């Protein structure tokens, strides 16, 4: 059966020919799982997300956007004496793994013939959507907070995005974008289920790079869940099709300064609350993730857990990476810090994690932080 949208509450199916991002009753939309995929038919010459075209929504070849990046190296990295395998996803053309989701979503927008999209972002998702909108010749407005890093603002502007700066919280930015989405298509990395079809390619790449085997655990950031939910979909599909023998444990990393999901995951009662403080890991400073419940369910059903990391852990991990020649974003370093904590406890496991974003666009934050 071709992939369809599915209402997360009622399970009603919707054709992918209609450009929707939300169910008519306001429920979140997901996509149905694929029911066939042949690893022998992977497009070996193609290093973009379209390598796995047969596992993705049906989009005509002429509408499949590519900007370089994809099939990123999976390399061992020594974390306090334990070898952990890292996907080098900062190598995507805009500098982060968000290109996986944006490439898929904007290709579908192109296929539908939509002329204009809106989006809201703390930075990287906005850069990716703006870049792929430019590649498709589609107009794009990105809603951002006043404190969005100068490098990311400059990058979005360079791609020709129209920026709308909101003087308020991340939630107020999302509300403003949602209001604009009444007239223009919402290319949201949180609400739009197509984004997760792009990020699921990380799971496909990891399994292919390991000889169509799953690792024991995958350590991922937990902001809006674009990687956690994408990986949950990807590994589940491959497992249900009998291509891998297990779904790896999903280990979700949050900053101690913004840990709504870790708090809910370990809470003994619903009344437990978390207090938000500023964190250097801006990409995971999400107090109310739209798909928070889905993220907790994905982690639980993969026998995973949440780990929180302190600002000190993040800075130490960032410095350690830099000293080994890897210049990553502080948000990316939060995941490295979490992987380090996990790896210390589970020495015998094959663990995979991700360098999610380049440090080159966090220079302003890094400079202000006086890290060296
Ligand atoms: C570099 C980087 N890493 C990780 C994340 C976490 O995002 P998510 O939980 O949506 O995968 C973000 C989000 O913006 C990011 O920019």
């Amino acid at each position: 059966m071709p992939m369809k949208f599915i209402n997360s509450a009622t399970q009603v199916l919707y054709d992918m020919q209609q450009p929707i991002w939300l169910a008519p009753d306001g429920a979140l939309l997901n996509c149905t799982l694929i029911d066939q995929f042949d690893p022998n038919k992977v497009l070996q010459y193609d290093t973009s997300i379209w390598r796995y075209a047969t596992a993705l929504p049906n989009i005509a070849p002429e509408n499949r956007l590519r900007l370089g990046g994809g099939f990123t190296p999976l390399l061992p990295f020594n974390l306090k004496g334990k070898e952990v395998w890292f996907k080098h996803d900062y190598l995507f053309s805009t500098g982060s793994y968000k290109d996986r989701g944006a490439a898929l979503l904007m290709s579908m927008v192109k296929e539908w013939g939509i002329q204009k999209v809106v989006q809201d972002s703390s930075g990287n998702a906005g850069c990716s959507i703006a870049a792929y909108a430019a590649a498709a010749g589609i107009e794009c407005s990105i809603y951002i907070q006043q404190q969005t890093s100068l490098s990311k603002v400059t990058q979005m502007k360079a791609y020709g995005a129209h920026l709308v700066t909101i003087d308020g919280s991340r939630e107020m930015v999302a509300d403003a974008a949602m209001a604009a989405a009444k007239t223009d298509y919402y290319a949201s990395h949180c609400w739009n289920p197509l984004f997760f079809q792009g990020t699921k390619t990380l799971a496909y790449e990891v399994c292919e790079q390991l000889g169509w085997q799953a690792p024991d655990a995958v350590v991922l950031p937990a902001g809006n869940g674009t990687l956690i939910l994408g990986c949950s979909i990807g590994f589940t599909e491959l497992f249900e099709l009998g291509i891998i023998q297990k779904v790896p444990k999903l280990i979700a990393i949050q900053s101690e300064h913004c840990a709504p999901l870790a708090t809910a995951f370990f809470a003994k009662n619903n009344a437990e609350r978390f207090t938000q403080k500023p964190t250097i890991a801006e990409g995971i400073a999400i107090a109310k993730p739209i798909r928070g419940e889905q993220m907790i369910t994905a982690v639980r059903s993969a026998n995973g857990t949440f780990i929180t990391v302190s600002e000190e852990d993040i800075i130490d991990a960032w410095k350690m990476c830099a000293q080994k020649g890897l210049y990553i974003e502080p948000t990316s370093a939060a995941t490295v810090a979490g992987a380090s904590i996990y790896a210390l406890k589970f020495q015998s496991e094959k663990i995979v994690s991700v360098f999610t974003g380049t440090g080159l666009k966090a220079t302003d934050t890094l400079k202000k932080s006086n890290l060296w």
Side-chain angles (χ1 to χ4, degrees):
M1 188 179 74
M3 189 184 288
K4 291 187 185 278
F5 292 124
I6 180 166
N7 183 313
S8 60
T10 61
Q11 309 299 304
V12 170
L13 298 175
Y14 309 91
D15 251 10
M16 280 204 172
Q17 268 94 335
Q18 29 183 339
I20 52 173
W21 56 269
L22 190 67
D25 63 0
L28 282 168
L29 282 179
N30 296 322
C31 297
T32 53
L33 297 186
I34 54 159
D35 53 14
Q36 50 183 329
F37 170 70
D38 183 352
N40 296 316
K41 295 205 179 126
V42 162
L43 305 175
Q44 291 295 339
Y45 58 87
D46 195 340
T47 53
S48 76
I49 63 161
W50 303 108
R51 182 180 186 86
Y52 308 106
T54 54
L56 299 175
N58 195 12
I59 297 176
E62 65 273 19
N63 292 327
R64 294 177 190 168
L65 300 168
R66 288 180 177 81
L67 284 172
F71 207 64
T72 56
L74 175 67
L75 300 173
F77 191 71
N78 191 306
L79 286 183
K80 300 186 182 149
K82 159 86 182 154
E83 191 173 80
V84 172
W85 293 76
F86 274 83
K87 287 286 282 173
H88 288 234
D89 264 29
Y90 58 85
L91 290 173
F92 274 93
S93 72
T94 77
S96 91
Y97 74 94
K98 291 264 163 63
D99 283 18
R100 294 180 184 275
L104 190 294
L105 172 54
M106 293 309 294
S107 297
M108 186 61 110
V109 168
K110 186 169 181 233
E111 172 109 344
W112 283 328
I114 289 173
Q115 298 298 319
K116 184 172 182 215
V117 297
V118 287
Q119 218 264 9
D120 56 293
S121 166
S122 64
N124 278 329
C127 291
S128 296
I129 291 289
Y132 281 86
I138 291 168
E139 208 186 317
C140 156
S141 293
I142 313 268
Y143 287 68
I144 53 167
Q145 266 183 293
Q146 204 125 45
Q147 62 264 40
T148 305
S149 91
L150 179 63
S151 337
K152 289 174 187 165
V153 170
T154 309
Q155 191 180 2
M156 287 184 262
K157 275 193 190 157
Y159 295 134
H162 168 61
L163 298 191
V164 186
T165 309
I166 303 290
D167 186 10
S169 67
R170 180 68 184 81
E171 285 70 39
M172 286 161 76
V173 175
D175 290 347
M178 185 74 104
K182 292 204 167 86
T183 39
D184 297 315
Y185 186 72
Y186 197 14
S188 165
H189 59 293
C190 319
W191 291 90
N192 202 307
L194 291 169
F195 202 91
F196 304 91
Q197 287 300 310
T199 52
K200 87 176 182 188
T201 56
L202 186 123
Y204 278 70
E205 288 180 16
V206 167
C207 293
E208 185 181 352
Q209 288 166 319
L210 297 178
W212 293 108
Q213 306 242 341
D216 296 310
V218 182
V219 183
L220 300 166
N224 275 308
T226 53
L227 267 184
I228 288 182
L229 294 173
C231 282
S232 168
I233 298 168
F235 288 120
T236 305
E237 285 179 340
L238 292 171
F239 173 69
E240 292 200 351
L241 290 168
I243 294 163
I244 55 173
Q245 302 314 307
K246 64 181 175 198
V247 171
K249 288 190 272 179
L250 295 183
I251 313 301
I253 310 303
Q254 295 210 293
S255 153
E256 272 176 13
H257 282 196
C258 188
L261 303 180
T263 308
F265 185 83
F266 294 112
K268 299 207 170 48
N269 62 60
N270 287 339
E272 283 194 37
R273 294 274 171 270
F274 80 100
T275 323
Q276 185 174 6
K277 291 193 223 141
T279 170
I280 191 169
E282 62 187 18
I284 50 170
I286 311 293
K288 289 187 201 145
I290 305 295
R291 292 182 184 262
E293 275 179 36
Q294 279 188 2
M295 290 163 74
I296 292 177
T297 306
V299 169
R300 267 198 223 291
S301 60
N303 290 318
T305 191
F306 278 81
I307 294 174
T308 57
V309 292
S310 67
E311 295 301 289
E312 207 183 3
D313 294 334
I314 300 171
I315 290 166
D316 285 352
W318 182 86
K319 282 186 184 161
M320 187 260 299
C321 288
Q323 280 158 10
K324 292 183 181 189
L326 283 162
Y327 191 59
I328 57 171
E329 267 201 51
T331 304
S332 210
T335 305
V336 180
S340 213
I341 295 170
Y342 183 81
L344 214 57
K345 282 201 203 146
F346 295 91
Q347 292 281 328
S348 62
E349 288 189 359
K350 174 108 184 172
I351 304 168
V352 168
S353 189
V354 190
F355 293 127
T356 53
T358 174
L360 291 173
K361 34 179 168 175
T363 303
D364 36 356
T365 317
L366 290 165
K367 195 150 182 281
K368 270 188 242 142
S369 309
N370 280 327
L371 298 184
W372 59 90

